[in-house]
Amino acid sequence: MSASTTPGPDSRPSGGLDLSGRTALVTGAAGGIGRACTLRLATAGARVRAVDLDAGGLTDLVAAASGLPGPVEAHLLDLTDLDAAERAAAGIDILVNNAGLQLVRPIEDFPPEVFSRVLTVMLEAPFRLVRGALPHMYAQGWGRIVNISSVHGLRASPYKSAYVAAKHGLEGLSKVAALEGAEHGVTSNCVNPGYVRTPLVERQIADQAEAHGISPERVVSEVMLADAAVKRLVEPEEVAEAVAYLCGPHTSFITGASLSMDGGWTAH
């Protein structure tokens, strides 16, 4: 679509979803899936706390959200500061745990300090964010927790010990939150995309090429998309639509679920 035909922000909530009066927090908001989720929730009228370490990316995000029905507030935060993460979630109605990092290495070569950091950012921090968010959600009898998991929360791949371990743990955390939150009107679900067109995945291509000893082109066709029936990457906006759906008024009976967006990968 050319610039001359690109529509400006609509003053009405998009797609019939109205989150006016709700406050959301999205981690890893400066780019990729987090950016798409932030803009989608703000378009639906939510006030969004955009959490990231990337100050420049947050500045760009706030500018991109200018004029949307819901305001976007930049929160510069290192999620390894677990106490700060928990405090940041106080008073929110919607939590989107999205932040992540990746390193592709065989287990015997995987740096223990990186393994620890991945688990901290992708499992401990979501636990602390959920912990910080639940008192307000329980008090009002409504809340939505959406955890951006992965097909790797359901399946394993070689050379991704930390990422796979973190995503499997996130699946378990999400289900426990669903069971505990049900009587309080709080749902907790995972969204499980395959490879998404994000900077994180672009960086993985080079790592995978080195780990497997093949070209980047073969990584995409023979590794990333080998088990998918739909032979393309997922777009961040597609993931954001799934997140928005789970935050809507007609999904109160969907909890403890894992919504696969993997192009048929887990259908095998």
Side-chain angles (χ1 to χ4, degrees):
M1 182 178 289
S2 66
S4 61
T5 59
T6 301
D10 194 331
S11 61
R12 300 165 299 174
S14 172
L17 177 63
D18 186 358
L19 296 176
S20 302
R22 301 294 188 188
T23 298
L25 185 151
V26 180
T27 65
I33 295 171
R35 177 185 171 93
C37 288
T38 297
L39 295 174
R40 180 64 181 89
L41 296 177
T43 298
R47 175 182 296 273
V48 185
R49 298 178 191 172
V51 171
D52 208 293
L53 264 179
D54 181 358
L58 286 175
T59 298
D60 291 344
L61 173 61
V62 171
S66 177
L68 292 179
V72 172
E73 305 165 348
H75 287 253
L76 196 64
L77 177 63
D78 184 346
L79 290 176
T80 63
D81 185 343
L82 297 172
D83 291 338
E86 184 169 328
R87 291 193 298 269
I92 63 171
D93 309 299
I94 296 166
L95 171 61
V96 181
N97 281 312
N98 166 71
L101 58 153
Q102 176 67 283
L103 181 67
V104 181
R105 294 286 188 280
I107 290 175
E108 67 271 22
D109 297 329
F110 206 100
E113 67 276 9
V114 177
F115 191 96
S116 179
R117 179 175 175 80
V118 170
L119 268 289
T120 298
V121 171
M122 295 173 56
L123 184 55
E124 285 193 77
F127 161 70
R128 295 295 292 270
L129 286 154
V130 170
R131 189 173 187 272
L134 284 180
H136 171 72
M137 293 181 178
Y138 283 2
Q140 69 179 359
W142 192 95
R144 296 288 186 266
I145 300 167
V146 184
N147 299 297
I148 306 302
S149 181
S150 166
V151 65
H152 285 113
L154 307 173
R155 298 288 189 272
S157 289
Y159 311 123
K160 297 184 177 181
S161 55
Y163 190 88
V164 171
K167 291 301 188 184
H168 274 67
L170 186 64
E171 293 281 331
L173 174 64
S174 184
K175 289 177 172 62
V176 172
L179 296 176
E180 294 184 9
E183 65 181 293
H184 304 284
V186 175
T187 66
S188 176
N189 294 287
C190 288
V191 176
N192 301 70
Y195 287 100
V196 184
R197 193 184 305 278
T198 66
L200 182 68
V201 167
E202 295 294 338
R203 289 191 294 270
Q204 276 188 63
I205 294 174
D207 279 350
Q208 290 269 23
E210 181 180 350
H212 292 278
I214 59 177
S215 70
E217 293 75 20
R218 288 181 62 194
V219 167
V220 175
S221 63
E222 298 177 19
V223 179
M224 290 184 167
L225 301 180
D227 292 320
V230 181
K231 299 297 184 181
R232 67 171 178 84
L233 300 178
V234 187
E235 298 298 332
E237 291 75 17
E238 293 178 283
V239 182
E241 284 299 326
V243 171
Y245 168 71
L246 291 171
C247 293
H250 304 298
T251 53
S252 61
F253 209 71
I254 301 176
T255 195
S258 298
L259 177 58
S260 295
M261 301 182 66
D262 58 12
W265 183 337
T266 53
H268 289 280

